[in-house]
Amino acid sequence: MKLFPYAHATHPQWRMATALVLAQLRAQMALPEFARSPSLALLYITDHYADEAQAILEHLSAELPEVTDWAGTVGVGVAANNVEYFDEPALSLMLCDLSPDQYRVFSGVAPLSASGRASGGDGFVAHTALVHADASTPELPELIAEMAERTQSGYVFGGLASSRGRSVQFSLGSAGNLSGQGAVSGVLHGGLSGVAFGAEVGLISRVTQGAQPVDRERTVTESDGNLVLMLDDEPALDVLLRERVISLDNPDEAMPRLRATLVGLSPPPSEREDTTSALRVRGQFGTEVLVRHLIGLDPGRHGVAIADVAPVGTHLAFCERNVNAARADLVRVCAEVREELEPEELSLSVATSLAASDVDAGPHPARRIAGAVYVSCSGRGGPHFGSPSAELQTVRRALGDVPLVGFFAGGEIAHHRLYGYTGVLTVFTMP
């Protein structure tokens, strides 16, 4: 396995953007450290290009005939190494140096079976999967959990397409489709799609949270669907107003504080995959926590309505978005990946190369990272981290200079859950 060629560009005309991307890819593919003829492409476009998705895919496929499999989706922003394109016409593309027997592109017309085997019956078994999904798909959390069950590891990663117009997904595989589907264009609408990877593909994935608790964790002791009525046997609305110092008698002051308040939900400790507390000692959430919006108040029943269901026994903590906490947690997960992969001792030449300035730096095989995919919440990009591209610049400083693509999603997928206000970083490791 060699480094994955990757490229990104912005331009009002999609043909100019693809020309810039193709020039970058061909230059990299001529270098000895990069793969020369990869067969799998991950393509992400901003919603400015959504109406041209089919034309973009057809053009890139014609220009890159060695690429036989395509996956990707649309976002309000796309990401690449050290840069993000938010609310502008742009695309990001990475070519993965994987053997065709190590992965399968899947979708509604080329599904994985319940056992994780591809529809072609060629013996491929999914170990994990990159999943793209349409947010309007009914029972989406259940479908994501079901997709995770079709993998050997039970772990999937990815995100929901985000678009102010058409929501599209790219899914074009060489392994074939279900009979009776006819010709498939490679551009889909609705449902789930993505790439399943076999056990021989090395992956490391981490979730970074973007919200910080502002109150202690409490237990839901009464609820009705998405209406939380009692927390630790106390009316939930009373707890919220007291702990957030909010008075409903003054709506002008109350509304901004309510809009800034979120809830972090986690299962009871006995049901958690990780036995450590979901609310960390240092005041940050763990990966078991799902952050959700407040969607209303019920003064009559003294309840708080949230954008999810919270059965009795669920642990709940009020929280808010916090840029410093988000930045610190992002640095932490990147550092964990580097520590797991990079050797403790490096030769002088390699150490000098990895520590080079931005001008001289470049992806290096010594990092043992062939490529990376970063899916971040659309609410985290741009101004949330202080300046344009600040989030991706943080990733580069902490993770190192590696091939990276991704997009800003309407919800993030990791483990077998649908997250919010998080970032999901996944790296492909070199042997």
Side-chain angles (χ1 to χ4, degrees):
M1 180 186 292
K2 293 189 175 183
L3 295 172
F4 295 174
Y6 76 106
H8 50 92
T10 176
H11 196 279
Q13 299 179 17
W14 68 265
R15 289 188 179 275
M16 289 299 298
T18 55
L20 293 169
V21 162
L22 289 167
Q24 296 171 51
L25 290 175
R26 287 165 178 155
Q28 291 178 12
M29 292 164 72
L31 299 175
E33 297 87 1
F34 283 85
R36 298 183 65 87
S37 57
S39 60
L40 171 64
L42 302 180
L43 172 62
Y44 299 107
I45 63 173
T46 63
D47 55 358
H48 289 72
Y49 289 154
D51 290 338
E52 308 295 338
Q54 188 67 56
I56 290 172
L57 179 60
E58 291 176 356
H59 179 72
L60 290 173
S61 297
E63 293 291 329
L64 297 168
E66 66 273 21
V67 178
T68 57
D69 300 271
W70 293 80
T73 191
V74 62
V76 293
V78 296
N81 181 11
N82 208 42
V83 65
E84 64 189 39
Y85 299 99
F86 217 83
D87 196 21
E88 59 182 316
L91 62 92
S92 183
L93 175 62
M94 184 165 70
L95 308 182
C96 304
D97 185 26
L98 301 174
S99 172
D101 62 354
Q102 295 178 335
Y103 67 86
R104 288 293 180 276
V105 173
F106 66 86
S107 66
V109 298
L112 296 175
S113 69
S115 62
R117 297 184 181 275
S119 58
D122 55 3
F124 173 81
V125 178
H127 184 72
T128 185
L130 167 62
V131 178
H132 306 123
D134 190 316
S136 63
T137 303
E139 300 180 344
L140 185 56
E142 291 79 7
L143 291 176
I144 293 171
E146 181 185 355
M147 178 59 65
E149 292 175 355
R150 298 188 182 196
T151 67
Q152 289 179 325
S153 67
Y155 186 95
V156 295
F157 61 96
L160 308 187
S162 61
S163 175
R164 288 157 294 191
R166 300 179 69 193
S167 180
V168 299
Q169 299 172 49
F170 298 105
S171 183
L172 186 62
S174 58
N177 304 310
L178 289 174
S179 60
Q181 295 298 320
V184 177
S185 67
V187 176
L188 306 177
H189 306 274
L192 277 66
S193 67
V195 187
F197 300 100
E200 60 272 24
V201 179
L203 292 169
I204 299 176
S205 190
R206 294 287 187 275
V207 178
T208 175
Q209 295 279 9
Q212 186 176 45
V214 294
D215 185 26
R216 67 178 178 87
E217 193 175 69
R218 303 169 191 272
T219 302
V220 176
T221 50
E222 184 180 351
S223 65
D224 182 7
N226 66 343
L227 185 65
V228 178
L229 296 171
M230 303 289 283
L231 292 171
D232 289 345
D233 296 321
E234 185 179 358
L237 180 58
D238 296 353
V239 175
L240 169 64
L241 299 180
R242 181 183 69 242
E243 298 301 332
R244 297 293 285 149
V245 194
I246 297 172
S247 173
L248 297 182
D249 294 332
N250 192 342
D252 291 340
E253 293 183 5
M255 290 308 297
R257 290 188 62 80
L258 287 171
R259 292 192 186 101
T261 302
L262 307 166
V263 295
L265 306 175
S266 57
S270 60
E271 299 179 13
R272 295 175 188 170
E273 297 171 357
D274 185 352
T275 56
T276 59
S277 173
L279 192 57
R280 299 179 183 179
V281 175
R282 64 173 179 268
Q284 292 185 348
F285 284 136
T287 58
E288 291 293 324
V289 176
L290 304 178
V291 177
R292 297 293 188 259
H293 287 286
L294 294 180
I295 59 174
L297 307 178
D298 188 340
R301 302 177 68 184
H302 293 269
V304 176
I306 62 175
D308 206 333
V309 294
V312 171
T314 300
H315 284 212
L316 182 151
F318 294 111
C319 57
E320 62 185 9
R321 296 169 62 194
N322 184 288
V323 63
N324 292 326
R327 186 181 295 114
D329 202 51
L330 181 57
V331 171
R332 176 189 64 82
V333 299
C334 292
E336 287 181 0
V337 172
R338 289 190 62 169
E339 289 172 2
E340 187 166 341
L341 291 176
E342 289 188 4
E344 295 182 2
E345 296 183 2
L346 298 173
S347 67
L348 179 60
S349 61
V350 172
T352 301
S353 177
L354 295 183
S357 66
D358 283 347
V359 175
D360 300 324
H364 199 289
R367 297 195 192 282
R368 293 185 56 212
I369 298 176
V373 176
Y374 186 58
V375 180
S376 184
C377 177
S378 57
R380 288 167 55 101
H384 180 59
F385 277 81
S387 62
S389 297
E391 183 175 9
L392 273 299
Q393 291 167 0
T394 299
V395 172
R396 175 168 174 169
R397 285 193 297 268
L399 184 63
D401 195 354
V402 300
L404 183 148
V405 296
F407 71 107
F408 289 89
E412 305 76 61
I413 298 169
H415 300 276
H416 53 272
R417 304 183 186 90
L418 180 60
Y419 287 83
Y421 296 107
T422 64
V424 180
L425 173 67
T426 305
V427 303
F428 294 84
T429 63
M430 303 174 94

